[in-house]
Every structure is written in structure tokens, then in C-alpha cells.
Amino acid sequence: MSNFLPINTILVPQGAEYKAVCRGLSGVTAFMPTVLAIPVGMKPLLKYLQQGQFLTPKSRVLIMGICGSLSDRYTVGDLVLYQNCIYQEKQQECDRTFTAQLHSFISEKASLVKSLTSDRVIWSAAEKRHLGKTLAADVVDMEGFTALEFFNAAEVSVAMLRIVSDDCQHNIPDLTPAINSDGSLNPFSLAIAMLRQPFAATRLIRGSLTALKVLEQVTNRLFSGNQLE
């Protein structure tokens, strides 16, 4: 089966996540979507999207990447499909038809979740659990709501497929200071944040590597037309 859903574009955060998706697509001979590396964070992403002339109405955009868990139900390596994203008091919905088609193709491997978008890294396990309970959200990322708000206004169908890279039982390093204003990562600040919390850093690295491997495999199976096993 070639590109089973006409997905025009994949958006994925720059860096390791983008590279994982590109590895997943290498060797795929079917129709290939355009893969674009997006900046990390809400404001840099909005600026990027406003500058882009790459989409037309009726396009189908798949946003991929990794996310953090806010619930005991989801742990490292789990595949999640977003139903919606919340930010403060607002909510944006993913395209239901597109999401349902993806879900049926991926079968029981993907859980349908509600996501929280944050303008900073939620690093504390206690805060993750608190947010999960008070907002009834399952996972957290830093781009989802902004992307949905932009594309929904442009009548572009969006689905979001992410892999959990950190659970809600353990702290991760606070990487917020390592994110530059343009949405890129500052390697020096990143190294300092990791060194300040070595155990949390080791756990984050291990979880991220697991999630990135799953991201690569899912991308390959989606676009080579192999049903996920």
C-alpha cells in the first residue's frame, strides 16, 4: 500500500526528532511527504508557520515527535494520537476523520489522548501529575496547540502522532533555559542543565533514545504501508 492517506507534509521538531523521522523515511519508495523541521516552542513555531507558504487548504499535515506523560497510563515508548490540545483555558481539536484513519491503520498500538501544550519544559514529576489530574490531560508538548490553532484557521487537516519520552514518575532536567528564542537548542546551556541533574539526565537520554527509535519505526511503517504489528 502506498501512502495510504494523502499526507502532504510532516512537521517535526528540529534536531533528533527530525532526524529520526528522516531515517524512518529512508528507503521508502512510495509517495513521500515533505518533511519540515520546526522550531521548539509556541512563539518560535507561530513565527515559522506565519512565514511559510507551503500549505494550501485541504492539505493534510501530520505532526510527529516526542512528548512527556502526565498520567500513569502512558510510559516511555508509548505511541499516542492526539484528539485535542489545550492551552490555558482554550482547546483546539485535531481533524477527527484524519485521526480516525490513522488510528485504524496503527490499530491498538496507539492510544487516543488529550494533550496539554506548555510554553516551558514541565520537568517536575509532581507538577506533571498535578497538571494531568487538574486539567484531565494525558501528555504534554510545546507545539501542539499553536500548530492546531494556525492550521484549523487555514482549514488544513491536522493529526498528531507522538511517542512518550518521559514518564510522570521521575523528574527530568529543566531544559527551558536551553531553548533559544528562535526555538533552537543551545548546546552549552543544554549540557549545563544535564550536568546539574545527572540522574535525571541519564533517565531522559535513555527515554528519548527509546522514543526516537519508536518514532523512526512508526514513520517507516506508515509510509511503506506495513501494518503496525
Side-chain angles (χ1 to χ4, degrees), residues 41-114:
M42 300 181 73
K43 286 181 181 174
L45 175 60
L46 181 59
K47 187 176 178 183
Y48 172 86
L49 292 173
Q50 288 171 336
Q51 291 170 343
Q53 302 296 320
F54 49 84
L55 294 167
T56 56
K58 311 305 176 193
S59 291
R60 277 186 147 184
V61 174
L62 178 60
I63 296 173
M64 303 184 79
I66 59 178
C67 62
S69 174
L70 301 177
S71 163
D72 290 331
R73 292 191 299 276
Y74 306 104
T75 189
V76 173
D78 284 355
L79 188 58
V80 294
L81 258 175
Y82 287 16
Q83 294 175 301
N84 54 46
C85 288
I86 55 173
Y87 175 67
Q88 295 177 349
E89 301 295 313
K90 298 174 285 187
Q91 180 170 301
Q92 289 284 334
E93 300 284 330
C94 293
D95 185 275
R96 290 186 182 183
T97 304
F98 187 8
T99 301
Q101 288 172 328
L102 268 173
H103 193 236
S104 64
F105 184 80
I106 298 168
S107 69
E108 72 283 353
K109 287 291 176 186
S111 301
L112 291 168
V113 298
K114 296 180 178 181

Side-chain angles (χ1 to χ4, degrees), residues 25 29 40 58 73 79 107 116 119 123 155 161 173-174 178 180 185 187 205 217:
L25 288 171
T29 54
V40 173
K58 311 305 176 193
R73 292 191 299 276
L79 188 58
S107 69
L116 166 69
D119 52 13
W123 60 271
E155 297 185 348
L161 181 62
D174 182 7
N180 295 324
L185 283 174
I205 291 167
Q217 291 167 348

Side-chain angles (χ1 to χ4, degrees), residues 17 65-71 74-76 78 80 82 113-116 121-122 128 137-142 162-168 172 204 211:
E17 294 163 84
I66 59 178
C67 62
S69 174
L70 301 177
S71 163
Y74 306 104
T75 189
V76 173
D78 284 355
V80 294
Y82 287 16
V113 298
K114 296 180 178 181
S115 171
L116 166 69
V121 175
I122 308 297
K128 283 187 182 186
D138 303 301
V139 297
V140 61
D141 69 39
M142 297 181 69
R162 290 195 183 238
I163 318 298
V164 175
S165 62
D166 50 285
D167 61 30
C168 66
I172 60 171
L204 176 64

Side-chain angles (χ1 to χ4, degrees), residues 17-37:
E17 294 163 84
Y18 173 76
K19 288 174 185 172
V21 167
C22 290
R23 282 196 304 272
L25 288 171
S26 64
V28 171
T29 54
F31 167 81
M32 291 277 282
T34 303
V35 186
L36 299 172

